[in-house]
């Protein structure tokens, strides 16, 4: 006997109409699932702009990988960037206010929702540029980054820039280094109006003052020349100073918020000013403002100006705040001289990951320079320079180690330039952080390095180059 009708179960799908109703309900459910997914567009977390003479960098930090296309519009010059999978938000709108009036390449930027899920940036340019767009994976404290680098079409002449920015070329009374196959006279260290300190080299006669000669801004085109008997070779000494980190790469940080990139730039600028007061000395900074320079490009810049020395300036950090002291490092051909030196070199060599390098645009010749192990002569000279500088630094701060250490620092791999890396102090140590941000200590550190360089040249005169008088 069948059960009463009120107890019979209802069929799941009793008719085609009911089936369509269920399918429609399922479609509605799918739409409700995908609707929030489409609304979850990539989020811009921060925008940063790093203007510099070398190039201007624009960084968009975001929570996922972004895809962007770009093109140039002429008359007037504009760079147009379309970013997919993005909705306009207040952080991205803030890019407009980030453009500074003194930016060498960007006049202004306009930001708008070009179409659904596509944001368009239009950069009004001050001159023609070579744009490079690339993405970076998360590194250090950063999330995903979309990078726009705007380079000038005409690559700057670094030696001409030194002549333009330096005051050393305007003083006709400055004596020039001369080479008559004997060591040059010692270089005096200026001391605020006091008579210059001169290191006397036994057996080296005083050299008469020669008229200043403006260096040729195109050293690669200078004809090779050999000095005739009795001729003196005019010799400008070029020092490349390398303030570590910069721009996207802040370097180490202190408890009081001090950043390595700021401290070492301040010391480098003081050092540059003091070196340029010495006779026949000119200085190139690998960066003179807050922007990032890849490790290999720092080496390349020094080689382009035919530097006689390369000095990279840093402020160390360690996990323990008790670590303290100054150190000097040279390149090692066979491995680090200590586990601490190896650890530091590995950390410093990661700067490109944090600062952001367009790997696809690396110059093959530059890569070969970085991979080329420096000659034994270069390392020997670097050790001599390091010892001379370390001796002077030890007079103003405790030394972390009493001898020059060695490790595989990428920034020291110029095969033809004596190169050292100076850790001025531990910025992670509260006492030394206070020193590093003190004008007096920065001045003492710069003076110590100048004296070390001067003493190095007194015993190791630079070889003659091809400019004669």
């Amino acid at each position: 006997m069948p059960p009463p009708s009120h107890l019979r179960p209802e069929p799941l799908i009793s008719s085609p109409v009911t089936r369509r109703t269920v399918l429609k309900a399922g479609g509605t459910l799918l739409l409700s699932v995908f609707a929030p997914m489409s609304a979850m567009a990539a989020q811009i977390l921060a925008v940063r702009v790093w203007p510099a003479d070398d190039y201007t960098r624009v960084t968009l930090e975001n929570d996922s990988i972004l895809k962007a296309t770009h093109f140039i519009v002429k008359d007037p010059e504009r760079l147009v960037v379309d970013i997919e999978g993005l909705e306009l938000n207040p952080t991205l709108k803030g890019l407009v206010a980030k453009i500074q009036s003194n930016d060498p390449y960007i006049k202004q930027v306009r930001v708008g929702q070009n179409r659904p899920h596509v944001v368009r940036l239009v950069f009004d340019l001050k001159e023609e540029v070579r744009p490079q767009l690339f993405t970076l994976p998360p590194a250090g404290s950063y999330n995903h980054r979309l990078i726009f680098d705007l380079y000038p079409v005409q690559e700057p002449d670094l030696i001409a820039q030194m002549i333009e920015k330096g005051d050393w070329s305007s003083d006709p009374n400055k004596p020039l280094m001369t080479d008559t196959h004997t060591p040059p006279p010692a270089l005096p260290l200026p001391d605020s109006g006091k008579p210059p300190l001169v290191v006397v080299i036994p057996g080296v006669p005083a050299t008469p003052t020669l008229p200043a000669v403006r260096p040729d801004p195109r050293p690669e085109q200078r004809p090779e020349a050999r000095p005739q008997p009795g001729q003196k070779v005019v010799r400008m000494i070029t020092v490349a100073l390398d303030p570590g980190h910069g721009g996207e790469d802040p370097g180490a940080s202190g408890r009081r918020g001090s950043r390595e990139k700021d401290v070492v730039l301040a010391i480098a600028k003081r050092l540059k000013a003091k070196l340029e007061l010495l006779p026949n000395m000119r200085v190139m900074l690998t960066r003179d403002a807050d922007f990032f320079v890849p490790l290999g490009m720092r080496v390349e810049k020094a080689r382009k100006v035919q530097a006689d020395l390369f000095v990279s300036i840093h402020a160390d950090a360690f996990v323990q705040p008790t670590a303290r002291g100054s150190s000097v490092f040279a390149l090692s051909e066979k491995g680090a001289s200590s586990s601490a030196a190896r650890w530091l070199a590995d950390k410093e060599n990661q700067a490109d990951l944090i600062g952001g390098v367009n790997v696809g645009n690396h110059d093959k010749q530059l890569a070969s320079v970085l991979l080329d192990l420096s000659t034994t002569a270069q390392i020997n000279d670097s050790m001599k320079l390091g010892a001379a500088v370390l001796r002077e630094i030890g007079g103003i701060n405790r030394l972390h180690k009493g001898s020059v250490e060695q490790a595989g620092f990428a920034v020291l791999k110029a095969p033809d330039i004596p190169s050292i890396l100076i850790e001025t102090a531990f910025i992670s140590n509260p006492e030394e952080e206070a020193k590093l941000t003190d004008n007096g200590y920065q001045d003492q550190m710069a003076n110590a390095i100048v004296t070390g360089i001067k003493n190095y040249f007194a015993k190791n005169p630079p070889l003659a180059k091809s400019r004669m008088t």
Side-chain angles (χ1 to χ4, degrees):
M1 181 176 180
S5 60
H6 67 280
L7 296 177
R8 294 173 190 169
E10 291 292 329
L12 292 176
I13 300 177
S14 59
S15 68
V17 175
T18 306
R19 186 187 302 272
R20 285 195 297 272
T21 303
V22 172
L23 291 174
K24 183 177 179 181
T28 304
L29 179 62
L30 289 172
L31 286 174
S32 67
V33 172
F34 283 106
M37 290 181 66
S38 63
M40 291 174 61
Q43 293 295 310
I44 298 297
L45 306 176
V47 294
R48 296 180 289 274
V49 182
W50 308 101
D53 290 340
D54 288 38
Y55 71 106
T56 289
R57 167 168 288 188
V58 178
T59 301
L60 305 184
E61 187 176 357
N62 40 279
D63 61 359
S64 60
I65 300 175
L66 294 178
K67 182 180 179 182
T69 57
H70 71 282
F71 56 91
I72 293 288
V73 179
K74 298 287 185 181
D75 301 323
E77 292 284 334
R78 284 157 288 166
L79 170 65
V80 181
V81 181
D82 286 339
I83 309 173
E84 300 179 17
L86 197 60
E87 301 295 331
L88 198 57
N89 70 355
T91 303
L92 189 52
K93 289 180 181 178
L95 179 61
V96 175
K98 297 280 187 177
I99 305 301
Q100 302 175 22
S101 60
N102 63 345
D103 191 301
Y105 306 109
I106 302 176
K107 186 183 301 180
Q108 64 179 8
V109 63
R110 289 167 281 151
V111 183
Q113 194 76 45
N114 181 255
R115 54 189 185 275
H117 312 309
V118 177
V119 168
R120 171 166 287 186
L121 311 179
V122 179
F123 295 92
D124 296 319
L125 304 174
K126 294 180 179 180
E127 63 177 70
E128 188 179 359
V129 299
R130 291 186 296 106
Q132 293 183 15
L133 271 68
F134 57 97
T135 59
L136 295 171
S141 61
Y142 294 125
N143 212 310
H144 295 272
R145 285 172 288 173
L146 177 62
I147 303 287
F148 317 140
D149 284 346
L150 279 58
Y151 289 90
V153 172
Q154 185 67 33
E155 188 174 347
D157 187 324
L158 298 180
I159 293 184
Q161 285 183 348
M162 283 195 297
I163 295 173
E164 181 181 353
K165 294 179 180 180
D167 61 354
W168 47 265
S169 60
S170 61
D171 186 355
N173 295 318
K174 280 187 178 179
L176 295 173
M177 178 73 74
T178 61
D179 187 346
T180 56
H181 307 291
T182 57
L187 304 177
L189 177 63
D191 189 13
S192 306
K194 297 179 182 179
L197 173 65
V198 179
V199 174
V200 179
I201 307 174
V204 178
T207 304
T209 299
L210 299 175
V213 174
R214 190 181 183 88
D216 189 337
R218 298 178 303 279
E220 69 279 2
Q221 297 180 9
R222 296 178 190 170
E224 288 298 323
R226 295 183 179 275
Q228 299 298 319
Q231 270 187 319
K232 294 178 180 178
V233 181
V234 175
R235 181 70 164 89
M236 293 297 300
I237 297 176
T238 303
V239 177
L241 297 181
D242 175 49
H245 310 281
E248 288 288 287
D249 177 18
S253 298
R255 287 189 174 183
R256 301 180 184 180
S258 307
R259 300 180 301 184
E260 180 180 6
K261 67 175 183 177
D262 301 326
V263 167
V264 298
L265 180 60
I267 293 174
K269 286 184 174 181
R270 290 177 184 270
L271 179 55
K272 178 179 185 293
K274 293 175 183 295
L275 284 172
E276 286 180 339
L277 290 175
L278 301 181
N280 57 284
M281 187 78 72
R282 63 186 179 190
V283 179
M284 185 271 293
L285 290 174
T286 59
R287 68 177 181 95
D288 57 4
D290 187 11
F291 63 97
F292 176 70
V293 183
L295 297 174
M297 185 54 64
R298 296 169 188 263
V299 177
E300 187 69 5
K301 281 187 168 188
R303 301 188 83 218
K304 282 184 177 179
V305 299
Q306 296 184 327
D308 296 287
L309 296 181
F310 180 91
V311 179
S312 192
I313 303 171
H314 293 256
D316 205 356
F318 195 65
V319 291
Q320 298 294 335
T322 53
R324 61 182 301 168
S326 302
S327 306
V328 177
F329 296 84
L331 184 65
S332 172
E333 212 172 4
K334 300 177 181 178
S337 56
S338 68
S339 57
R342 183 184 304 107
W343 177 85
L344 180 63
D346 290 342
K347 183 169 69 74
E348 297 293 358
N349 291 346
Q350 292 175 3
D352 281 355
L353 299 177
I354 299 172
V357 173
N358 184 2
V359 178
N361 192 57
H362 265 191
D363 184 82
K364 293 181 180 179
Q365 183 178 1
L366 179 57
S368 67
V369 170
L370 289 179
L371 293 174
D372 181 13
L373 286 176
S374 297
T375 63
T376 303
Q378 187 264 25
I379 293 178
N380 288 341
D381 286 341
S382 300
M383 293 294 288
K384 293 175 184 177
L385 171 63
V389 171
L390 187 70
R391 191 178 303 114
E392 299 303 322
I393 292 178
I396 65 166
N397 193 34
R398 172 181 173 179
L399 295 180
H400 188 65
K401 190 170 182 180
S403 59
V404 179
E405 296 200 71
Q406 293 180 265
F409 292 90
V411 80
L412 301 181
K413 289 188 177 180
D416 46 1
I417 306 172
S419 304
I420 60 172
L421 185 147
I422 302 172
E423 293 288 357
T424 52
F426 276 86
I427 199 170
S428 54
N429 181 300
E431 293 181 13
E432 294 206 333
E433 179 188 9
K435 284 184 177 182
L436 287 168
T437 55
D438 178 71
N439 289 334
Y441 180 80
Q442 290 184 3
D443 211 53
Q444 285 182 314
M445 180 60 65
N447 277 334
I449 298 172
V450 169
T451 304
I453 290 174
K454 186 185 66 152
N455 290 342
Y456 166 78
F457 276 127
K459 296 181 180 179
N460 305 274
L463 298 176
K465 290 186 180 179
S466 56
R467 194 147 177 77
M468 297 188 301
T469 185

